[in-house]
Amino acid sequence: MTSLPAIQRFESSTQVRIYRIPCEVFPNFIGYVYVVLGAGEPTLIDTGSGYGDSTKHVLDGIQAVHDDFNEPITREDIKRIIITHGHIDHFGGLVHLPKNSQAKIGIHTLDRRVITNYEERVVVTNRLLRFFIQQAGVPSELQAQLIQYFNFSKKHTQSFPVDFPLSDGQEMDGMRFIHTPGHCPGMVCIAIGNILLSADHILEKTSPHQSPETITRHMGLHHYLESLDKVSRMGGFDVALGGHEGPIHNVYQRIGEIRRGHMRKLDRVRGIIQNAPDPLTTFEIAKAMFRDAKDFHLLLAIEEAAAHVEYLYEHGELAVSNIDEVEIEDNPPLRYRLV
Ligand SMILES: [Zn+2]
Ligand SMILES: [Zn+2]
């Protein structure tokens, strides 16, 4: 097992105490949940994955906030759970936390169904993913395998009722929700004074994963870049605390780095297509961009490449070259050339 980082305490310019609790959401992959005290009722932000020891880490972490930081709080005192976005490493723990009927659960409207209609959504998304994988030109012998990777870990949770929806600009006891679609449709960042809980919208080291809108609406690079700009324009954040990795002390510089990384990837896609003798599928572009990607990472690589291909296509830089096939076949791979 990976050893867990220490719990960290932060205090906002508005005197809200924020405790950063690590949990192992998947083997060797650490996520962070946050206990927020002094902003209305005691609030838990995200719940871990529910996988392995993740829930135990969350509960032990809340206990440690009591024992090591002298906060008068136990797990029963948590009256509100906010889910930053509908990814399983952030909400999967919901069904595993001890029943605390007083805790009300909130998530942005666009991710609400992920929690309330979980089983249905897995089936529907599977179907859209199959369509996408064919359209991307993934060789048929690989297709089923990639779907299986997508379904990995999907069995650890189930539908759960949600009590209140979150919306953009909403204020709640000193927390302000900022809707930042892109990495996930209903992604919210939470502003608490000079601290931004940036969830998976802005991470310290990794450029948050992108997937095309073809699979899920309100995702895609166009939305993501707009959401980066939205946070940039807000100003006033001294630190951002993400759903993974370390605290970000240079929030605006980090936003610039992530943005430039996507501009480089767009350039890379243009170059790969330009230098190829024939029009390329998304799968071929992904293989050229991420040569070593295997297994689950290959699925992520195809999605990431597709988000960039889709962006260029939407912005009029690419054209589909095999329209004759598209006209008569059900779902042929799309082959792209530069306009
Ligand atoms: Zn995450
Ligand atoms: Zn995420």
Side-chain angles (χ1 to χ4, degrees), residues 51 67 69 192 206 212 221 226 314 320:
Y51 183 91
D67 296 347
F69 295 90
I192 304 175
T206 308
L221 191 59
E226 280 191 344
E314 281 177 349
V320 173

Side-chain angles (χ1 to χ4, degrees), residues 207 221 224 258-266 308:
S207 177
L221 191 59
Y224 180 70
I258 294 173
R259 170 173 267 287
R260 285 192 294 280
H262 286 299
M263 296 305 124
R264 280 195 299 274
K265 279 183 189 155
L266 290 170
H308 290 80

Side-chain angles (χ1 to χ4, degrees), residues 58-71:
V58 172
L59 295 174
D60 289 352
I62 296 172
Q63 188 59 42
V65 170
H66 174 277
D67 296 347
D68 303 343
F69 295 90
N70 290 320
E71 292 283 3

Side-chain angles (χ1 to χ4, degrees), residues 89-90 200 244:
D89 50 324
H90 298 259
D200 286 1
H244 309 274

Side-chain angles (χ1 to χ4, degrees), residues 16 34 149 175 191:
V16 173
Y34 294 89
Y149 291 129
M175 298 185 282

Side-chain angles (χ1 to χ4, degrees), residues 85 87 89-90 183 187 200:
H85 66 295
H87 282 169
D89 50 324
H90 298 259
H183 172 76
M187 166 74 77
D200 286 1

Side-chain angles (χ1 to χ4, degrees), residues 61-214:
I62 296 172
Q63 188 59 42
V65 170
H66 174 277
D67 296 347
D68 303 343
F69 295 90
N70 290 320
E71 292 283 3
I73 182 185
T74 64
R75 61 174 76 154
E76 284 81 24
D77 297 320
I78 300 284
K79 295 291 191 295
R80 194 157 54 188
I81 300 175
I82 305 279
I83 304 294
T84 58
H85 66 295
H87 282 169
I88 198 151
D89 50 324
H90 298 259
F91 76 85
L94 262 181
V95 297
H96 300 274
L97 289 171
K99 293 278 173 282
N100 177 358
S101 54
Q102 291 171 325
K104 298 282 184 254
I105 295 158
I107 186 168
H108 189 273
T109 325
L110 289 179
D111 277 356
R112 186 180 179 136
R113 293 185 64 78
V114 178
I115 295 186
T116 57
N117 298 62
Y118 182 72
E119 296 81 4
E120 169 210 306
R121 195 199 163 247
V122 169
V123 173
V124 171
T125 307
N126 255 285
R127 192 182 153 85
L128 293 169
L129 190 67
R130 277 202 300 277
F131 185 87
F132 162 74
I133 279 174
Q134 286 165 8
Q135 191 176 71
V138 174
S140 46
E141 65 276 12
L142 251 182
Q143 289 181 12
Q145 207 184 334
L146 291 185
I147 300 276
Q148 278 206 341
Y149 291 129
F150 174 77
N151 288 329
F152 161 77
S153 85
K154 294 283 185 277
K155 300 277 178 274
H156 295 279
T157 191
Q158 61 196 54
S159 294
F160 207 80
V162 163
D163 298 292
F164 59 94
L166 303 174
S167 58
D168 186 38
Q170 184 180 349
E171 304 259 357
M172 190 186 281
D173 303 325
M175 298 185 282
R176 185 157 40 95
F177 300 103
I178 309 160
H179 182 215
T180 50
H183 172 76
C184 202
M187 166 74 77
V188 289
C189 293
I190 305 169
I192 304 175
N194 62 335
I195 296 180
L196 180 72
L197 298 183
S198 61
D200 286 1
H201 181 50
I202 305 165
L203 296 174
E204 183 201 16
K205 296 196 180 85
T206 308
S207 177
H209 176 59
Q210 301 301 316
S211 174
E213 209 167 8
T214 329

